[in-house]
Amino acid sequence: MRAGSKSRIKSIVSTMALVTALYGCSESENAGNADTTGDRVTNEQTDMNAESINEDTGDLFAGIEPATTDNEAANTLLSSYDGPYQGTPHFDEMDLSGLKPALEAGMAKNLAEVEAIANNPEPPTFANTIIALEKTGDELGRVFTYWGIWSSNMSSPEFRTIQQEMAPKLSEFFSKINQNEKLFERVKAVYESDVMETLRPDQQRLVWLVYDGFATNGATLEGEAKERYAEINKRLAELHTQFGNNVLADEENYVTYISEDQLSGLPDSFVKAAAAAAADRDREGEYAITNTRSSMDPFLTYSDERDLRETVWRTYYSRGDNGDENDNNAIIAEILQLRDERVKLLGYDNYASWRLQNRMAKNPENALELMEAVWPAALARVEEEVAEQQEIADAEGANITIEPWDYRYYMEKVRQAKYNLDSDEVKQYLQLDKLREAMFFVAGELFNFEFTPIPDGTVPVWHEDVHVWEVTDRTSGDAVGLWYLDPFARPGKRSGAWATSYRSHDKLDGEEKTVLSANNSNFIEGAPGEPVLVSWSDAETFFHEFGHGLHYLSSNVDYPTLNGGVRDYTEFQSQLLERWLATDEVIDNYLVHHETGEPIPGELVEKIKAAATFNQGFDTTEYLASALIDMRYHTVDPTGIDPDAFEREQLAALGMPEEIVMRHRSPHFGHIFSGEGYSAGYYGYMWADVLTADAAEAFAEAPGGFYDEDVAKRLVDNLFSPRNAVDPAEAYRAFRGRDAEIDALMRDRGFPVPGENQGDSGGGDASDSN
């Protein structure tokens, strides 16, 4: 999730989703499932009839001047994309000096468009209100494309100063739209009219999404309540921005440097990457352990230096929690208080109830029920895993008790002892370039896509690391879009992995737009000429994020707003794509040794598959702890809350094992505090994983397995192409023929299935990118 901002501001309902960077896997989101209940008014009352169902908005915006400034850099950011492929962003010309005036001009133009709709003397219709809104915000949407790059891929102190200044102004801008009474009344009139019955299902859903976006974001408030709602949004925009920037500052500023005599246990590929990272920071001859998960995780897995493991562990898990100018605890407390106050203005008991009403879970109780069903099994597995680790430590005479900075290290020893599986040996067959080719193969087999590299310099990019591929239908040759890849970590780039798009598919104005999609990772770039080798977990993450990219590229919706998604559903498509990494077709053709070119031995493959549920105690518990704390933060009265104490107390009440910490501790939990895309919604990864495990069994049971043509067609037609044009629950039933069941998830993780007699469930290795 982002995270990625949508290429155009077409949905007024997603307010600040476009101006905050979400940490981890992320994607732009609109409102959730449709519930078209409510009183209808007559045609006579609204003067609408079936003949008004067209998409010609006439000259509604004819008198509005283009968004221009006297700043050429700003005009570049506002201008239409040009060049081949229906035009692409001017990434090679983006200049930060133009950002602020471009934002101001874009907002002014967008408000003028909105006022033209709101004050139209003609009766409200689907065309002159809903479709008209879909056609607003082109210039501002383009500016946000560059904002997203500066925010996530190429951040700098100069950008952060502008970001901090503009975030509250952007919030005020969105409030002016959300609280425009005349505009809402027109949207409401269309929503409540009999014309709704004559619209196609996707058009009805569009109307509902727009209406619900207003209704659940303060449009129904009046007087002081309306003013206070806008004030809260403005302050939250400031706080979300500061939270994310504080985390990024700690990731940039806290780097652990080690010397050659401290490299014991570290793989050669990691050592070379760490040396290159140190050289990039003018520390030649040293080795840099950067404060990101992609550097921390392998160091804790392989380093024999226990004191250094503790140092790196504490540095990473203390991001945003160092008692300095970048400490986030006070910010968290204020965010929670303001969110609670805001939803109380709307009549909700707590923030989570407001947030989940249009998600698949519907309410906090359903989300908690799922998590609490899995939690005991995860804790039991952790106890088994720690016992196995302690046994090895004792046998080695280590004279220690397993601590959090030991878990990954001894986990790897258990893996080798239990399965004779060496993670570093596996990495020798996981070359980043080959994995990319494997993803293209899967996309071809399932989606009929062809990926062709574009020569460097043909399409503008924001950094020399970024490369671009043209995506076409491999049967017809028709253009689908472009795919950008920004694979490597660097200063100023936020951690994690995410997907975004710079232009979404739609058919407004009769033109079918191609998609500009991007994937972003933080792999550690090797020394010059050295291949980039990654772990099995990182390979899964690479496939996961590509799943989001395929979701963008597969879109076949007519309207931009329908390219959004429901948070506890959109992760499903990407989590599902992880399953193709372990298919025979990928293993046999793309997992080859980086030196010899020999395919991965069948014996090693069998070890990988035998260990498929190894370490699920760790993976599930660290994730669920974060998801459960997120839900508790957003269901309690936050008055006077101390985040540090709250986190400790809640984890103790849950029985959190001492040997594990939350995947994202509160002070750097950017998913829920640097924006609102995942707030009270981090559970969504597990909700989506229920769908994932169930859908994977549909493929496993099919005659053609994971490449079965019929199941693949149902997958694309029902779960990828419609995006948010269909209610997610209906879409899944259309694919599977029934609702998803939790049993598949429990089997998938090697946990006991409720109601079934289980023998030894074994251990296992799987991870997600959240």
Side-chain angles (χ1 to χ4, degrees):
M1 124 150 230
R2 168 56 41 121
S5 61
K6 290 165 60 179
S7 60
R8 302 167 67 191
I9 300 182
K10 291 305 177 189
S11 174
I12 304 303
V13 304
S14 39
T15 58
M16 296 306 293
L18 292 168
V19 299
T20 56
L22 300 177
Y23 276 58
C25 170
S26 50
E27 180 181 28
S28 296
E29 163 188 77
N30 291 326
N33 303 343
D35 176 8
T36 54
T37 57
D39 296 331
R40 302 290 187 190
V41 294
T42 66
N43 286 344
E44 289 75 19
Q45 289 173 294
T46 61
D47 196 26
M48 293 192 293
N49 54 54
E51 293 181 359
S52 69
I53 303 173
N54 64 74
E55 299 181 10
D56 182 10
T57 55
D59 59 356
L60 190 60
F61 305 135
I64 301 175
E65 294 295 325
T68 58
T69 75
D70 57 5
N71 182 309
E72 285 306 311
N75 291 337
T76 297
L77 302 181
L78 289 160
S79 65
S80 299
Y81 301 160
D82 57 24
Y85 308 107
Q86 292 187 351
T88 59
H90 314 291
F91 290 129
D92 57 340
E93 300 178 36
M94 52 192 279
D95 189 318
L96 197 55
S97 65
L99 179 57
K100 182 179 174 181
L103 286 169
E104 291 171 339
M107 286 189 287
K109 169 70 179 299
N110 204 161
L111 286 175
E113 293 169 332
V114 166
E115 286 299 319
I117 299 170
N119 293 295
N120 185 357
E122 297 295 322
T125 67
F126 178 71
N128 70 24
T129 301
I130 305 302
I131 295 302
L133 278 171
E134 291 290 277
K135 294 182 178 181
T136 63
D138 282 356
E139 290 95 334
L140 188 55
R142 289 193 287 268
V143 177
F144 271 116
T145 292
Y146 305 106
W147 172 288
I149 298 297
W150 277 311
S151 174
S152 299
N153 302 71
M154 301 286 289
S155 186
S156 65
E158 294 78 13
F159 168 74
R160 290 169 213 165
T161 298
I162 297 172
Q163 183 185 37
Q164 197 71 47
E165 176 187 355
M166 294 305 296
K169 294 181 180 180
L170 287 163
S171 176
E172 289 182 314
F173 158 74
F174 284 117
S175 290
K176 287 178 182 178
I177 297 175
N178 276 325
Q179 297 187 356
N180 186 312
E181 294 181 11
K182 291 182 179 178
L183 180 62
F184 178 57
E185 286 305 315
R186 291 184 68 86
V187 170
K188 183 180 179 182
V190 177
Y191 171 67
E192 293 182 343
S193 72
D194 288 343
V195 161
M196 278 285 284
E197 305 300 330
T198 69
L199 297 175
R200 301 193 316 254
D202 65 318
Q203 293 172 327
Q204 291 185 29
R205 186 160 177 82
L206 171 64
V207 174
W208 182 83
L209 288 170
V210 174
Y211 169 80
D212 186 68
F214 280 98
T216 58
N217 282 283
T220 59
L221 298 176
E222 297 178 353
E224 293 182 3
K226 176 175 287 192
E227 292 178 6
R228 179 56 184 157
Y229 195 97
E231 291 172 359
I232 291 173
N233 276 345
K234 180 180 177 181
R235 178 57 179 159
L236 283 172
E238 296 173 335
L239 294 170
H240 294 156
T241 301
Q242 187 61 51
F243 184 99
N245 286 340
N246 285 348
V247 176
L248 184 57
D250 276 4
E251 289 174 350
E252 291 179 344
N253 297 333
Y254 288 89
V255 178
T256 303
Y257 294 96
I258 62 176
S259 56
E260 188 172 0
D261 61 355
Q262 296 174 309
L263 299 175
S264 177
L266 295 174
D268 185 58
S269 58
F270 182 86
V271 170
K272 290 177 179 177
D280 288 343
R281 292 164 174 78
D282 298 322
R283 300 283 290 256
E284 292 278 357
E286 294 181 275
Y287 304 84
I289 314 304
T290 59
N291 202 18
T292 63
R293 194 176 187 93
S294 59
S295 187
M296 172 278 296
D297 194 86
F299 186 84
L300 295 187
T301 301
Y302 298 112
S303 175
D304 294 329
E305 303 287 342
R306 189 176 190 237
D307 59 335
L308 284 175
R309 292 204 307 268
E310 180 178 357
T311 296
V312 170
W313 182 90
R314 290 190 182 281
T315 301
Y316 180 80
Y317 286 103
S318 294
R319 291 172 299 151
D321 195 26
N322 291 299
D324 56 13
E325 68 274 13
N326 295 320
D327 192 280
N328 274 329
N329 283 283
I331 291 176
I332 292 171
E334 188 175 355
I335 287 174
L336 292 171
Q337 187 67 52
L338 289 172
R339 287 176 178 174
D340 185 68
E341 181 185 355
R342 190 182 61 186
V343 300
K344 294 288 177 58
L345 292 173
L346 297 172
Y348 292 88
D349 291 336
N350 54 60
Y351 180 88
S353 295
W354 171 79
R355 170 58 74 191
L356 270 65
Q357 61 182 318
N358 295 318
R359 305 267 174 112
M360 289 190 78
K362 299 299 184 185
N363 56 60
E365 292 74 24
N366 289 340
L368 285 167
E369 182 180 5
L370 169 62
M371 292 189 284
E372 290 170 354
V374 179
W375 181 249
L379 294 185
R381 182 58 53 78
V382 167
E383 187 174 351
E384 296 171 7
E385 291 173 1
V386 171
E388 291 174 328
Q389 294 169 30
Q390 190 66 56
E391 184 178 349
I392 288 181
D394 292 345
E396 292 180 344
N399 194 30
I400 65 166
T401 298
I402 298 296
E403 298 283 359
W405 46 89
D406 299 315
Y407 207 113
R408 291 171 176 83
Y409 181 74
Y410 282 100
M411 168 191 74
E412 182 59 24
K413 289 179 178 288
V414 171
R415 190 199 310 271
Q416 294 183 33
K418 196 169 185 177
Y419 301 100
N420 192 25
L421 179 61
D422 183 343
S423 292
D424 190 53
E425 181 184 2
V426 175
K427 286 180 67 173
Q428 308 311 304
Y429 297 90
L430 297 174
Q431 303 173 64
L432 188 62
D433 289 346
K434 289 290 186 181
L435 289 169
R436 186 193 65 234
E437 294 302 319
M439 297 191 312
F440 291 167
F441 165 75
V442 172
E445 294 299 300
L446 269 63
F447 296 83
N448 206 40
F449 289 160
E450 183 81 25
F451 286 75
T452 305
I454 295 174
D456 291 345
T458 305
V459 169
V461 296
W462 56 91
H463 190 274
E464 61 184 8
D465 288 344
V466 181
H467 299 284
V468 188
W469 284 258
E470 180 181 13
V471 187
T472 57
D473 183 286
R474 66 179 184 178
T475 300
S476 67
D478 291 343
V480 175
L482 298 181
W483 183 71
Y484 296 71
L485 176 63
D486 186 356
F488 301 125
R490 59 177 171 267
K493 186 179 182 182
R494 69 176 177 86
S495 63
W498 67 99
T500 188
S501 63
Y502 311 125
R503 181 171 62 227
S504 298
H505 180 277
D506 69 59
K507 299 176 184 176
L508 286 180
D509 301 319
E511 178 187 23
E512 186 165 3
K513 296 179 181 63
T514 59
V515 177
L516 302 179
S517 172
N519 280 115
N520 308 271
S521 303
N522 269 279
F523 297 110
I524 305 301
E525 188 172 12
E530 295 287 338
V532 178
L533 305 178
V534 306
S535 68
W536 187 267
S537 175
D538 282 341
E540 287 182 318
T541 297
F542 202 28
F543 270 69
H544 175 109
E545 295 302 334
F546 188 58
H548 283 309
L550 291 174
H551 207 182
Y552 298 136
L553 291 164
S554 301
S555 174
N556 194 35
V557 303
D558 286 357
Y559 308 108
T561 290
L562 299 181
N563 279 300
V566 180
R567 183 64 69 190
D568 53 8
Y569 176 67
T570 55
E571 289 300 329
F572 154 56
Q573 289 88 345
S574 54
Q575 289 180 189
L576 182 61
L577 204 77
E578 296 175 26
R579 304 307 176 99
W580 274 265
L581 173 63
T583 59
D584 291 341
E585 290 82 351
V586 168
I587 289 172
D588 293 344
N589 294 287
Y590 299 97
L591 305 193
V592 298
H593 197 278
H594 70 98
E595 292 178 338
T596 68
E598 292 294 317
I600 188 170
E603 179 183 353
L604 186 54
V605 172
E606 289 306 312
K607 291 178 183 178
I608 293 171
K609 291 184 176 181
T613 56
F614 177 71
N615 200 42
Q616 267 304 311
F618 177 87
D619 288 341
T620 304
T621 301
E622 68 155 6
Y623 157 72
L624 269 180
S626 291
L628 287 164
I629 294 300
D630 168 37
M631 195 60 69
R632 280 160 171 73
Y633 268 134
H634 291 103
T635 51
V636 301
D637 180 351
T639 304
I641 195 169
D642 177 346
D644 186 62
F646 183 86
E647 179 183 298
R648 287 198 313 272
E649 292 164 1
Q650 292 298 317
L651 290 174
L654 286 167
M656 182 72 171
E658 295 180 357
E659 299 86 359
I660 295 181
V661 293
M662 296 165 60
R663 180 168 298 175
H664 307 287
R665 287 200 54 241
S666 303
H668 51 256
F669 203 168
H671 285 78
I672 68 172
F673 293 126
S674 70
E676 297 193 69
Y678 284 89
S679 51
Y682 196 62
Y683 77 90
Y685 284 101
M686 177 153 284
W687 192 277
D689 218 10
V690 171
L691 303 175
T692 298
D694 193 69
E697 289 192 351
F699 275 98
E701 295 163 359
F706 277 80
Y707 296 89
D708 187 90
E709 292 184 3
D710 291 338
V711 181
K713 186 176 189 305
R714 294 206 311 271
L715 178 81
V716 175
D717 291 349
N718 295 296
L719 302 180
F720 277 79
S721 295
R723 297 290 277 148
N724 198 20
V726 179
D727 178 279
E730 294 178 8
Y732 189 82
R733 281 192 289 269
F735 163 74
R736 194 69 163 104
R738 58 168 174 75
D739 290 329
E741 299 171 351
I742 193 176
D743 293 8
L745 173 72
M746 302 300 279
R747 284 191 290 270
D748 200 50
R749 300 195 175 210
F751 294 163
V753 177
E756 290 186 8
N757 292 324
Q758 296 289 316
D760 183 6
S761 58
D765 186 358
S767 66
D768 53 33
S769 62
N770 44 310

